[in-house]
Amino acid sequence: MFISVIIPCYNEEEVINETNHRLVNVIENLTPQFELIYVDDGSYDQTPHLLRQLQQADPRVHAILLSRNFGHQMAVTAGLDYAAGDAIVLIDADLQDPPEVIKEMVYQWSQGYHVAYGVRTERTGETAFKRWTAKVFYRLINCLSDVQIPLDTGDFRLMDRQVVEALKIMPERDRFLRGMVSWVGFRQIAIPYQRSPRLAGVSKYSLWKMLRFAADGILSFSLIPLRMAIWIGIFTFGFSLIGIIYALVLRLFTSIWVPGWTLLFISVLFIGGIQLVFLGVIGEYTGRIYRENKQRPLYLIRERLGFDKK
Ligand code: UDP
Ligand code: MG
């Protein structure tokens, strides 16, 4: 069995050597055949230089250097495209995800699971704000999303070759890998672990990047924000009908009406309500176009029985 490990790095000069050391130690004990693929996501520190050195010292180390900072998810995607392993492991460069957990992942894989994903039981050394936002995010996305994304998982996971091949034919530009991995299905199992503090350096996910990431996660997996227009539209239209009846009753059966007011009031409510409903309808169509545009495969096959191979 051949194992590929993909490690995205963005300005990780302080940790990269230690990470490599720990990873090699762990994987060497699991299999003689492996590759470590470092993807440098446009670092402007010594990271590319260090990667070059690591590569020269050890042929099992590979490095892909991206032309600029494309973001974590794209860096991982590049790694997946070049990984040759039967099983592919994704892990952060900062050792927040302990490499020792890979052993358990490989064991589950050998038991026939296609995906073994890490679930953080505890997050030490992260700010209360980060923990809180992460918690809200995972719950929100599961309320809104069509696929269930396991709570508190990151990208730390092992994937079978088949799963990676499936990800490779999902060409969407807004990539939210952990959601995509849930979407593909196959047999998946959670592996609880404790998330440690960063070995050194600071988080490379700025607040802005985190928000963008959250938006990608929600918008690529859910049409609910778009659909809300139709429900709010129907709701407001219902309310405006009550308002319209009220205005008519005032006008026809009482003497407390102001000239011109009834028509004005009715038109505002009516047009407002109708507009929202149709905005919702347009939303529905836009949603469909959006989904089509992604060109996702319509189904994925886990196994074929009784056919000739290929
Ligand atoms: N990373 C990357 N590109 C980016 C931001 C982050 O490749 O634009 C890498 C980073 O080097 C690390 C991993 O993604 O290996 C996770 O980032 P980080 O540890 O900063 O995020 P956090 O753990 O704070 O969520
Ligand atoms: Mg980290």
Side-chain angles (χ1 to χ4, degrees):
M1 74 185 177
F2 188 68
I3 296 184
S4 302
V5 183
I6 298 176
I7 313 109
C9 316
Y10 181 48
N11 296 335
E12 301 286 9
E13 61 182 6
E14 291 155 296
V15 298
I16 208 89
N17 283 325
E18 173 69 14
T19 303
N20 188 62
H21 184 67
R22 285 262 301 269
L23 277 173
V24 169
N25 267 346
V26 170
I27 315 276
E28 244 171 8
N29 283 322
L30 293 172
T31 171
Q33 283 183 305
F34 67 91
E35 60 177 357
L36 303 180
I37 303 180
Y38 291 88
V39 185
D40 174 62
D41 189 14
S43 303
Y44 48 80
D45 67 355
Q46 289 299 307
T47 306
H49 176 67
L50 295 174
L51 289 181
R52 231 177 278 280
Q53 283 182 344
L54 286 175
Q55 206 285 315
Q56 272 154 16
D58 184 347
R60 297 169 302 187
V61 170
H62 305 296
I64 298 170
L65 312 180
L66 300 185
S67 62
R68 63 169 168 87
N69 183 243
F70 279 93
H72 179 207
Q73 303 288 297
M74 291 301 170
V76 172
T77 304
L80 290 175
D81 285 341
Y82 287 91
D86 305 312
I88 289 111
V89 177
L90 308 183
I91 190 168
D92 286 354
D94 56 6
L95 293 178
Q96 276 193 289
D97 313 318
E100 292 70 28
V101 178
I102 296 175
K103 189 171 170 214
E104 170 74 12
M105 293 181 170
V106 170
Y107 171 74
Q108 296 296 352
W109 175 61
S110 69
Q111 296 300 301
Y113 283 98
H114 299 90
V115 177
Y117 55 90
V119 175
R120 306 146 176 173
T121 51
E122 218 175 284
R123 302 170 76 123
T124 47
E126 283 182 318
T127 59
F129 177 71
K130 176 111 188 181
R131 285 201 307 267
W132 185 78
T133 46
K135 199 168 164 174
V136 169
F137 168 65
Y138 287 110
R139 273 135 196 98
L140 183 69
I141 193 161
N142 270 349
C143 288
L144 292 179
S145 167
D146 319 330
V147 283
Q148 288 300 302
I149 297 166
L151 294 176
D152 303 318
T153 57
D155 285 321
F156 182 34
R157 57 185 65 225
L158 176 146
M159 295 180 285
D160 184 76
R161 175 95 245 150
Q162 277 181 293
V163 173
V164 173
E165 288 304 322
L167 293 180
K168 280 161 71 173
I169 48 172
M170 290 164 80
E172 52 221 70
R173 308 206 56 79
D174 299 316
R175 295 184 87 75
F176 182 65
L177 280 169
R178 56 198 79 157
M180 291 161 65
V181 175
S182 294
W183 182 89
V184 298
F186 295 94
R187 292 184 69 205
Q188 311 211 357
I189 188 169
I191 294 177
Y193 72 100
Q194 284 199 4
R195 191 152 218 240
S196 356
R198 240 179 186 278
L199 182 65
V202 291
S203 173
K204 307 300 183 293
Y205 263 98
S206 58
L207 183 61
W208 172 246
K209 268 191 184 166
M210 241 159 70
L211 287 175
R212 242 324 327 140
F213 184 59
D216 277 350
I218 291 168
L219 299 178
S220 340
F221 279 91
S222 167
L223 294 181
I224 290 182
L226 213 51
R227 286 211 171 117
M228 261 157 38
I230 220 166
W231 293 112
I232 296 176
I234 289 172
F235 189 72
T236 2
F237 193 59
F239 256 106
S240 75
L241 279 183
I242 297 173
I244 288 169
I245 292 167
Y246 168 74
L248 282 175
V249 167
L250 280 193
R251 173 66 183 77
L252 298 173
F253 303 112
T254 71
S255 53
I256 45 170
W257 50 278
V258 183
W261 177 79
T262 310
L263 190 61
L264 200 67
F265 191 70
I266 288 178
S267 12
V268 167
L269 288 181
F270 184 77
I271 297 200
I274 284 282
Q275 261 177 348
L276 267 183
V277 172
F278 280 92
L279 198 65
V281 173
I282 291 176
E284 274 292 314
Y285 283 104
T286 318
R288 267 151 238 265
I289 295 170
Y290 172 69
R291 238 183 352 221
E292 281 304 318
N293 242 341
K294 281 208 258 206
Q295 308 253 312
R296 278 192 187 176
L298 297 182
Y299 60 85
L300 298 163
I301 298 167
R302 165 139 111 204
E303 210 178 329
R304 295 201 310 182
L305 297 173
F307 288 94
D308 287 345
K309 284 262 178 260
K310 280 266 155 66

